Amino acid sequence: MNELFGNTLGLKPSEIDHLRRTFRRRVPDDEIITLELARHLTEFSASTNRQVGVLLNRKGDVEDVVVGNAHRLDLPDIGRARAGQVRLRGLRLVHTHLRSEPLTRDDFTDLALLRLDCIAAVGVGTRGVPTVLHLAHLLPGNELGKLWSSETYNALSEAPNFGELIRALEAELSATAPAQRSVSSAERAVLLGVCFDGRRQAAHASLGELVELANTAGVEVVDTLLQVRPKPDPKYLIGRGKLEDINLRAMQQAASLLVVDSDLSPGQARHIGEATSLKVIDRTQLILDIFAQRAQSSDGKLQVELAQLQYMLPRLVRSDPSLSRLAGGIGGRGPGETRLEMDRRRVRQRIAFLTRRIEDLSDGRRVRRRRRERSDVPVISIVGYTNAGKSSLLNALTGAKVLVEDKLFATLDPTSRRLRIPPDRDVIICDTVGFIRELPTNLAHAFRATLEELGDASLLIHVADASDLEAMNQIAAVEEILESIGLGEIQRLLVWNKVDLVTPLHQALLLKAHAGIAISVNERRGLDALLSAASAALEAEKAAPRQVTDAPH
């Protein structure tokens, strides 16, 4: 006997028999539903005050019968994950609406995510007579940004020919899909910003920065959303309604990735992924991926791998009891070390190994620093927000050929060059990894061996982007990071780069309000003034040397 799904509790035996007889019915190929089957369903809904629906295949056979409550149906598991981007599923849902109301948001969500052939709602009239028919189907090619087309028919006889409709839809879907796939080979992503403190402007700025991070990582951004809530949801971070919006937008834009501009707990990432059928990553994971792509030296690769493993360790949640082994001996029998425990142990062992290697690298850097100290050559380190122009400045001053791109974290590995500054003095000038707001803790910890180089600097040249509207927030973020790693006492020289992109009035206001030196690396403007100011700062440091303390590990 065929099984009934849904809200069958409390139904009479006669009503159960009424539903079971539904499986005997068949619908012709050219009809969405016959008048007899519609009357069969509406009579049940009128007597029980419950929605009822049937899933019909292309042959017109009834595959499932689903009973709901007065307002909605919960479909059985027919593969809740999205069915693909080209073909339809081969099933259509026809169900009843007790008040002849139009199709609901839940109906459209099921239509889009399950890629049903179509979805129809039959109105229930007096004495269980079928009334209007509401019909919706997907639109090929997402025409005009719409995902589906919805029509209302006053009688079932006015409905279109189902066979012709499906053949036309699948032909158009097959024709448009190859063109959509060939547009870009990059992974398509929806970006989600969150705001829990009411600071919408800051949230928008952070979301804009997330777009740049995604572009740097090689991800194609197809849509961005911002969710404002009084507090985060402990399970989904955001509301279920917004999750449905994300799901539909991702389906409409053929996206497979969701990037959240906030740190997700392992449980939140898992639950969001289950609810949306998307691959879910947070801001930290995106930055780690960028660092993994950009690291070139063996030092940088080790540090990035350490940060990735530290991030991944608490997120190992797979458990497979079938892989447990038994321990021998009296009192020792039972489940042994599970696969999950073995994975965690291996990750911890790898973390310990990488930590020792990085400590060895740190020791080597200390030896090189002591040699520099004996030679009495001062060190100048260039710091600043990512993409502010630090590497470009090093290239302009020393003729180095460090990679320069208009992307975040274009260079990760530190580079040092000897430079002669006025009046006639040699210094070592170092380019460092760029900073960013909410720099992942694991990343800062893994790169501590690199950041230790800053601890021996006599002067920090803080490069800021004069053309960025978020320049002051970026400066504050850099200062916060420098304080957190114990480098707040080193004297700093603020440099406003990219002044060629702002008006003279804007440049004058910046210098009046925040002092500093205005330069343009592209036009090689202001570099002599920068070197003179650096020389004066080093003379002041030599006259009143600071108390050197090791940066905390």
Side-chain angles (χ1 to χ4, degrees), residues 44-113:
F44 173 87
S45 293
S47 64
T48 62
N49 198 37
R50 305 186 192 193
Q51 290 187 10
V52 62
V54 290
L55 284 167
L56 301 167
N57 60 27
R58 296 277 177 90
K59 296 178 180 179
D61 298 326
V62 178
E63 292 205 354
D64 292 301
V65 177
V66 189
V67 183
N69 55 28
H71 307 289
R72 61 171 295 169
L73 288 174
D74 289 324
L75 295 182
D77 184 9
I78 57 174
R80 300 293 296 182
R82 290 170 292 169
Q85 300 296 334
V86 181
R87 299 190 61 84
L88 299 173
R89 188 173 288 273
L91 293 174
R92 62 187 182 273
L93 172 64
V94 184
H95 64 298
T96 57
H97 275 181
L98 300 179
R99 295 183 297 276
S100 300
E101 65 270 24
L103 293 169
T104 65
R105 184 176 186 83
D106 289 335
D107 293 330
F108 290 127
T109 301
D110 286 333
L111 172 67
L113 299 185

Coordinates of all heavy atoms in Angstrom, one line a residue, residues 44-113:
F44 N -11.8 16.4 0.2 CA -11.1 16.0 1.4 C -10.8 17.3 2.2 O -10.9 17.3 3.4 CB -9.8 15.3 1.0 CG -9.0 15.0 2.2 CD1 -9.2 13.9 3.0 CD2 -7.9 15.8 2.6 CE1 -8.3 13.6 4.1 CE2 -7.1 15.6 3.7 CZ -7.3 14.5 4.4
S45 N -10.3 18.3 1.5 CA -9.9 19.6 2.3 C -11.1 20.2 2.9 O -11.0 20.7 4.0 CB -9.2 20.5 1.3 OG -8.0 20.1 0.8
A46 N -12.2 20.2 2.2 CA -13.4 20.8 2.8 C -13.9 20.1 4.0 O -14.4 20.7 5.0 CB -14.5 20.9 1.7
S47 N -13.8 18.8 4.0 CA -14.3 18.0 5.2 C -13.3 18.0 6.4 O -13.7 17.9 7.5 CB -14.6 16.6 4.8 OG -13.4 15.9 4.3
T48 N -12.0 18.2 6.1 CA -11.0 18.1 7.2 C -10.4 19.4 7.5 O -9.7 19.5 8.5 CB -9.9 17.1 6.8 OG1 -9.3 17.6 5.6 CG2 -10.5 15.7 6.5
N49 N -10.6 20.4 6.7 CA -10.0 21.8 6.9 C -8.5 21.6 6.9 O -7.8 22.3 7.6 CB -10.5 22.4 8.2 CG -10.2 23.9 8.3 OD1 -10.3 24.6 7.2 ND2 -9.8 24.4 9.4
R50 N -8.0 20.8 6.0 CA -6.5 20.6 5.8 C -6.2 20.7 4.3 O -7.0 20.2 3.5 CB -6.1 19.3 6.4 CG -6.4 19.0 7.8 CD -5.8 17.7 8.3 NE -6.3 17.3 9.6 CZ -5.8 16.4 10.4 NH1 -4.7 15.7 10.0 NH2 -6.4 16.0 11.5
Q51 N -5.1 21.3 4.0 CA -4.6 21.2 2.7 C -4.1 19.8 2.3 O -3.6 19.1 3.2 CB -3.4 22.2 2.5 CG -3.7 23.6 2.5 CD -2.5 24.5 2.1 OE1 -1.5 24.0 1.7 NE2 -2.7 25.8 2.3
V52 N -4.3 19.4 1.1 CA -3.8 18.1 0.6 C -3.2 18.3 -0.8 O -3.7 19.2 -1.5 CB -4.9 17.1 0.6 CG1 -6.0 17.5 -0.4 CG2 -4.3 15.7 0.2
G53 N -2.1 17.6 -1.1 CA -1.4 17.8 -2.3 C -1.0 16.5 -2.9 O -0.8 15.5 -2.2
V54 N -0.7 16.5 -4.2 CA -0.2 15.3 -4.9 C 1.0 15.7 -5.7 O 1.1 16.8 -6.3 CB -1.3 14.6 -5.8 CG1 -2.3 14.0 -4.9 CG2 -1.8 15.6 -6.8
L55 N 2.0 14.8 -5.7 CA 3.2 14.9 -6.6 C 3.0 14.0 -7.8 O 2.9 12.8 -7.6 CB 4.5 14.6 -5.9 CG 5.0 15.7 -4.9 CD1 6.1 15.1 -4.0 CD2 5.5 16.9 -5.7
L56 N 2.8 14.6 -9.0 CA 2.6 13.8 -10.2 C 3.8 13.8 -11.1 O 4.5 14.8 -11.2 CB 1.4 14.5 -11.0 CG 0.1 14.6 -10.3 CD1 -0.8 15.6 -11.0 CD2 -0.6 13.2 -10.1
N57 N 4.1 12.6 -11.6 CA 5.2 12.5 -12.6 C 4.8 12.9 -14.0 O 3.6 13.2 -14.2 CB 5.9 11.2 -12.5 CG 5.0 10.0 -12.8 OD1 4.0 10.2 -13.6 ND2 5.2 8.8 -12.3
R58 N 5.7 12.8 -14.9 CA 5.4 13.2 -16.3 C 4.4 12.2 -17.0 O 3.7 12.6 -17.9 CB 6.7 13.2 -17.2 CG 7.7 14.2 -16.7 CD 7.4 15.6 -17.3 NE 8.4 16.5 -16.8 CZ 9.6 16.8 -17.4 NH1 9.9 16.2 -18.5 NH2 10.4 17.8 -16.9
K59 N 4.3 11.0 -16.5 CA 3.3 10.0 -17.0 C 1.9 10.3 -16.5 O 1.0 9.7 -17.0 CB 3.7 8.6 -16.7 CG 5.0 8.2 -17.3 CD 5.4 6.7 -16.8 CE 6.7 6.3 -17.4 NZ 7.1 4.9 -17.0
G60 N 1.8 11.2 -15.5 CA 0.5 11.4 -14.9 C 0.2 10.6 -13.7 O -1.0 10.6 -13.2
D61 N 1.1 9.7 -13.2 CA 0.9 8.9 -12.1 C 1.1 9.7 -10.8 O 2.0 10.6 -10.7 CB 1.8 7.7 -12.1 CG 1.6 6.8 -13.3 OD1 0.4 6.7 -13.7 OD2 2.6 6.2 -13.8
V62 N 0.3 9.3 -9.7 CA 0.5 9.9 -8.4 C 1.6 9.2 -7.7 O 1.5 8.1 -7.4 CB -0.8 9.9 -7.6 CG1 -0.6 10.5 -6.2 CG2 -2.0 10.6 -8.4
E63 N 2.7 10.0 -7.4 CA 3.8 9.4 -6.7 C 3.7 9.5 -5.2 O 4.1 8.7 -4.4 CB 5.1 10.0 -7.2 CG 5.5 9.6 -8.6 CD 7.0 9.7 -8.9 OE1 7.7 10.1 -8.0 OE2 7.4 9.2 -10.0
D64 N 3.2 10.7 -4.7 CA 3.1 10.9 -3.3 C 1.8 11.7 -3.0 O 1.4 12.5 -3.8 CB 4.3 11.8 -2.8 CG 5.6 11.0 -2.8 OD1 5.6 9.9 -2.2 OD2 6.5 11.4 -3.5
V65 N 1.2 11.5 -1.9 CA 0.1 12.2 -1.4 C 0.5 12.8 0.0 O 1.0 12.1 0.9 CB -1.2 11.3 -1.2 CG1 -2.3 12.1 -0.6 CG2 -1.6 10.7 -2.5
V66 N 0.3 14.1 0.1 CA 0.8 14.9 1.3 C -0.3 15.6 1.9 O -1.1 16.3 1.2 CB 1.9 15.9 0.9 CG1 2.6 16.4 2.1 CG2 3.0 15.2 0.0
V67 N -0.4 15.5 3.2 CA -1.5 16.2 4.0 C -0.8 17.3 4.8 O 0.2 17.0 5.5 CB -2.3 15.2 4.9 CG1 -3.4 15.9 5.6 CG2 -2.8 14.0 4.1
G68 N -1.4 18.5 4.8 CA -0.8 19.6 5.6 C -1.8 20.0 6.6 O -2.8 19.3 7.0
N69 N -1.6 21.3 7.1 CA -2.6 21.9 8.0 C -3.4 22.9 7.2 O -3.4 22.8 5.9 CB -1.9 22.6 9.2 CG -0.9 23.6 8.7 OD1 -0.9 24.2 7.6 ND2 0.1 23.8 9.6
A70 N -4.1 23.8 7.8 CA -4.9 24.8 7.1 C -4.2 25.8 6.2 O -4.7 26.5 5.4 CB -5.9 25.5 8.0
H71 N -2.8 25.9 6.5 CA -2.1 27.0 5.8 C -1.0 26.5 4.9 O -0.6 27.2 4.0 CB -1.5 27.9 6.9 CG -2.5 28.4 7.9 ND1 -3.5 29.3 7.6 CD2 -2.7 28.1 9.2 CE1 -4.2 29.6 8.6 NE2 -3.8 28.8 9.6
R72 N -0.4 25.3 5.2 CA 0.8 24.9 4.4 C 0.9 23.4 4.3 O 0.3 22.7 5.1 CB 2.0 25.6 4.9 CG 2.4 25.2 6.3 CD 3.7 25.7 6.7 NE 4.8 25.0 5.9 CZ 6.1 25.4 5.9 NH1 6.4 26.5 6.6 NH2 6.9 24.8 5.2
L73 N 1.8 23.0 3.4 CA 2.2 21.6 3.3 C 3.7 21.5 3.6 O 4.5 22.4 3.3 CB 2.0 21.1 1.8 CG 0.5 20.8 1.3 CD1 0.6 20.5 -0.1 CD2 -0.1 19.7 2.1
D74 N 4.1 20.4 4.2 CA 5.5 20.0 4.3 C 5.8 18.8 3.4 O 5.3 17.7 3.7 CB 5.8 19.7 5.8 CG 5.8 20.9 6.6 OD1 6.2 22.0 6.1 OD2 5.4 20.8 7.8
L75 N 6.5 19.1 2.4 CA 6.8 18.0 1.4 C 7.7 16.9 1.9 O 8.5 17.2 2.8 CB 7.4 18.6 0.1 CG 6.5 19.6 -0.7 CD1 7.2 20.0 -1.9 CD2 5.2 19.0 -1.0
P76 N 7.5 15.7 1.5 CA 8.5 14.6 1.9 C 9.8 14.9 1.3 O 10.0 15.7 0.4 CB 7.8 13.4 1.3 CG 7.0 13.9 0.1 CD 6.5 15.2 0.5
D77 N 10.8 14.1 1.7 CA 12.2 14.3 1.2 C 12.3 13.7 -0.2 O 12.4 12.5 -0.4 CB 13.1 13.6 2.2 CG 14.6 13.8 1.8 OD1 14.8 14.6 0.9 OD2 15.5 13.1 2.4
I78 N 12.3 14.6 -1.2 CA 12.5 14.1 -2.6 C 13.8 14.6 -3.1 O 14.0 14.8 -4.3 CB 11.3 14.6 -3.5 CG1 11.2 16.1 -3.5 CG2 10.0 13.9 -3.1 CD1 10.2 16.6 -4.5
G79 N 14.7 14.9 -2.1 CA 16.0 15.6 -2.5 C 15.9 17.0 -2.3 O 15.7 17.8 -3.3
R80 N 15.9 17.5 -1.0 CA 15.7 18.9 -0.8 C 16.8 19.8 -1.4 O 16.6 20.9 -1.6 CB 15.6 19.2 0.7 CG 14.5 18.4 1.4 CD 13.2 18.9 1.0 NE 12.9 20.3 1.4 CZ 11.8 21.0 1.2 NH1 10.8 20.4 0.6 NH2 11.7 22.2 1.6
A81 N 18.0 19.2 -1.6 CA 19.0 20.0 -2.3 C 18.6 20.3 -3.7 O 17.8 19.5 -4.3 CB 20.3 19.2 -2.3
R82 N 19.1 21.4 -4.2 CA 18.7 21.8 -5.5 C 19.0 20.8 -6.6 O 20.0 20.1 -6.6 CB 19.3 23.1 -5.8 CG 18.7 24.2 -5.0 CD 19.5 25.5 -5.1 NE 20.8 25.4 -4.5 CZ 21.8 26.2 -4.7 NH1 21.6 27.3 -5.4 NH2 23.0 26.1 -4.1
A83 N 18.1 20.6 -7.6 CA 18.2 19.5 -8.5 C 19.1 19.7 -9.6 O 19.3 18.8 -10.4 CB 16.8 19.2 -9.0
G84 N 19.7 20.9 -9.8 CA 20.5 21.1 -10.9 C 20.1 22.4 -11.6 O 19.0 22.9 -11.4
Q85 N 20.9 22.8 -12.6 CA 20.6 24.1 -13.2 C 20.0 24.0 -14.6 O 19.7 25.0 -15.2 CB 21.9 24.9 -13.3 CG 22.5 25.2 -11.9 CD 21.6 26.1 -11.0 OE1 20.8 26.8 -11.6 NE2 21.7 26.0 -9.7
V86 N 19.9 22.8 -15.2 CA 19.5 22.6 -16.5 C 18.1 22.0 -16.6 O 17.2 22.6 -17.1 CB 20.5 21.8 -17.4 CG1 20.1 21.7 -18.8 CG2 21.9 22.5 -17.3
R87 N 18.0 20.8 -16.1 CA 16.7 20.1 -16.3 C 15.8 20.3 -15.1 O 16.2 20.6 -14.0 CB 17.0 18.6 -16.5 CG 17.8 18.3 -17.7 CD 17.9 16.8 -18.0 NE 16.5 16.3 -18.2 CZ 16.0 16.3 -19.4 NH1 16.6 16.8 -20.5 NH2 14.8 15.8 -19.6
L88 N 14.5 20.1 -15.4 CA 13.5 20.2 -14.3 C 13.4 18.8 -13.7 O 13.9 17.8 -14.2 CB 12.2 20.6 -14.9 CG 12.1 22.0 -15.5 CD1 10.8 22.2 -16.1 CD2 12.4 23.1 -14.4
R89 N 12.8 18.7 -12.5 CA 12.8 17.5 -11.7 C 11.9 16.4 -12.3 O 12.1 15.2 -12.0 CB 12.4 17.8 -10.3 CG 12.6 16.6 -9.4 CD 12.3 17.0 -7.9 NE 13.4 17.8 -7.4 CZ 14.5 17.3 -6.9 NH1 14.7 16.0 -6.8 NH2 15.5 18.1 -6.4
G90 N 10.9 16.7 -13.1 CA 10.0 15.7 -13.6 C 8.8 15.5 -12.7 O 8.1 14.5 -12.9
L91 N 8.6 16.3 -11.7 CA 7.5 16.2 -10.8 C 6.8 17.5 -10.8 O 7.4 18.6 -10.8 CB 7.9 15.8 -9.4 CG 8.5 14.4 -9.2 CD1 9.0 14.3 -7.8 CD2 7.5 13.3 -9.5
R92 N 5.5 17.5 -10.6 CA 4.7 18.7 -10.4 C 3.9 18.5 -9.2 O 3.4 17.4 -8.8 CB 3.8 19.1 -11.6 CG 2.8 18.0 -12.0 CD 2.1 18.4 -13.3 NE 1.0 17.5 -13.7 CZ 1.2 16.4 -14.4 NH1 2.4 16.1 -14.7 NH2 0.1 15.7 -14.8
L93 N 3.7 19.6 -8.4 CA 2.9 19.6 -7.2 C 1.6 20.3 -7.4 O 1.6 21.5 -7.8 CB 3.7 20.3 -6.1 CG 2.9 20.5 -4.7 CD1 2.5 19.2 -4.1 CD2 3.7 21.4 -3.8
V94 N 0.5 19.6 -7.1 CA -0.8 20.2 -7.2 C -1.5 20.0 -5.8 O -1.5 18.9 -5.3 CB -1.7 19.5 -8.3 CG1 -3.1 20.2 -8.4 CG2 -1.0 19.6 -9.6
H95 N -1.9 21.1 -5.2 CA -2.4 21.0 -3.8 C -3.6 22.0 -3.7 O -3.9 22.8 -4.6 CB -1.4 21.3 -2.8 CG -0.8 22.7 -2.8 ND1 -0.1 23.2 -3.9 CD2 -0.8 23.7 -1.9 CE1 0.3 24.4 -3.7 NE2 -0.2 24.8 -2.5
T96 N -4.3 21.9 -2.6 CA -5.5 22.7 -2.4 C -5.2 23.9 -1.5 O -4.3 23.9 -0.7 CB -6.6 21.9 -1.7 OG1 -6.1 21.4 -0.5 CG2 -7.0 20.8 -2.6
H97 N -5.9 25.0 -1.7 CA -5.9 26.2 -0.9 C -7.3 26.4 -0.4 O -8.3 26.6 -1.1 CB -5.4 27.4 -1.6 CG -3.9 27.5 -1.6 ND1 -3.2 28.6 -2.2 CD2 -2.9 26.7 -1.1 CE1 -1.9 28.4 -2.1 NE2 -1.7 27.3 -1.4
L98 N -7.5 26.4 1.0 CA -8.8 26.4 1.6 C -9.6 27.7 1.3 O -10.8 27.6 1.2 CB -8.7 26.2 3.1 CG -8.1 24.9 3.5 CD1 -8.0 24.8 5.0 CD2 -8.8 23.7 3.0
R99 N -8.9 28.8 1.1 CA -9.6 30.0 0.9 C -9.4 30.5 -0.6 O -9.5 31.7 -0.8 CB -9.2 31.1 1.9 CG -9.6 30.8 3.3 CD -9.2 31.9 4.3 NE -7.8 32.0 4.3 CZ -7.0 31.3 5.1 NH1 -7.5 30.3 5.9 NH2 -5.7 31.5 5.1
S100 N -8.9 29.7 -1.4 CA -8.7 30.0 -2.8 C -7.6 31.1 -2.9 O -7.6 31.9 -3.9 CB -9.9 30.4 -3.6 OG -10.9 29.4 -3.6
E101 N -6.7 31.2 -1.9 CA -5.7 32.3 -1.9 C -4.6 31.9 -2.9 O -4.4 30.8 -3.3 CB -5.1 32.4 -0.5 CG -4.3 31.2 0.0 CD -5.2 30.2 0.7 OE1 -6.4 30.2 0.5 OE2 -4.6 29.4 1.5
P102 N -3.9 33.0 -3.4 CA -2.8 32.7 -4.4 C -1.7 31.9 -3.8 O -1.6 31.6 -2.6 CB -2.3 34.2 -4.7 CG -3.4 35.1 -4.3 CD -4.1 34.4 -3.1
L103 N -0.7 31.5 -4.7 CA 0.4 30.8 -4.2 C 1.2 31.6 -3.2 O 1.4 32.8 -3.3 CB 1.3 30.5 -5.4 CG 0.7 29.5 -6.4 CD1 1.6 29.4 -7.7 CD2 0.6 28.1 -5.8
T104 N 1.8 30.9 -2.2 CA 2.5 31.5 -1.1 C 4.0 31.5 -1.4 O 4.5 30.9 -2.3 CB 2.2 30.8 0.2 OG1 2.7 29.5 0.1 CG2 0.7 30.7 0.5
R105 N 4.7 32.2 -0.5 CA 6.2 32.2 -0.6 C 6.7 30.8 -0.4 O 7.7 30.5 -1.1 CB 6.7 33.2 0.5 CG 8.2 33.3 0.4 CD 8.8 34.3 1.4 NE 10.2 34.5 1.2 CZ 10.7 35.4 0.3 NH1 9.8 36.1 -0.4 NH2 12.0 35.5 0.2
D106 N 6.2 30.0 0.5 CA 6.6 28.6 0.6 C 6.5 27.9 -0.7 O 7.3 27.0 -1.1 CB 5.9 27.9 1.7 CG 6.2 28.4 3.1 OD1 7.3 29.0 3.3 OD2 5.4 28.3 4.0
D107 N 5.4 28.1 -1.4 CA 5.2 27.4 -2.7 C 6.3 27.8 -3.7 O 6.8 27.0 -4.4 CB 3.8 27.8 -3.3 CG 2.6 27.3 -2.4 OD1 2.8 26.2 -1.8 OD2 1.6 27.9 -2.4
F108 N 6.5 29.1 -3.8 CA 7.6 29.6 -4.7 C 8.9 29.0 -4.3 O 9.8 28.7 -5.2 CB 7.6 31.1 -4.8 CG 6.4 31.7 -5.5 CD1 5.6 32.6 -4.9 CD2 6.0 31.2 -6.8 CE1 4.5 33.2 -5.5 CE2 4.9 31.8 -7.4 CZ 4.2 32.7 -6.8
T109 N 9.2 29.0 -3.0 CA 10.5 28.4 -2.6 C 10.7 27.0 -3.0 O 11.7 26.6 -3.5 CB 10.6 28.6 -1.0 OG1 10.5 29.9 -0.7 CG2 11.9 28.0 -0.5
D110 N 9.6 26.2 -2.8 CA 9.7 24.8 -3.2 C 9.8 24.6 -4.7 O 10.6 23.8 -5.2 CB 8.4 24.0 -2.7 CG 8.4 23.7 -1.2 OD1 9.5 23.6 -0.7 OD2 7.3 23.6 -0.7
L111 N 9.2 25.5 -5.4 CA 9.3 25.5 -6.9 C 10.7 25.7 -7.3 O 11.2 25.0 -8.2 CB 8.3 26.5 -7.5 CG 8.4 26.8 -9.0 CD1 8.0 25.6 -9.8 CD2 7.7 28.0 -9.4
A112 N 11.3 26.7 -6.7 CA 12.7 27.1 -7.2 C 13.7 26.1 -6.7 O 14.6 25.7 -7.5 CB 13.0 28.5 -6.7
L113 N 13.7 25.7 -5.4 CA 14.8 24.9 -4.9 C 14.7 23.5 -5.4 O 15.7 22.8 -5.5 CB 14.7 25.0 -3.4 CG 14.9 26.4 -2.8 CD1 15.0 26.3 -1.2 CD2 16.2 27.0 -3.3

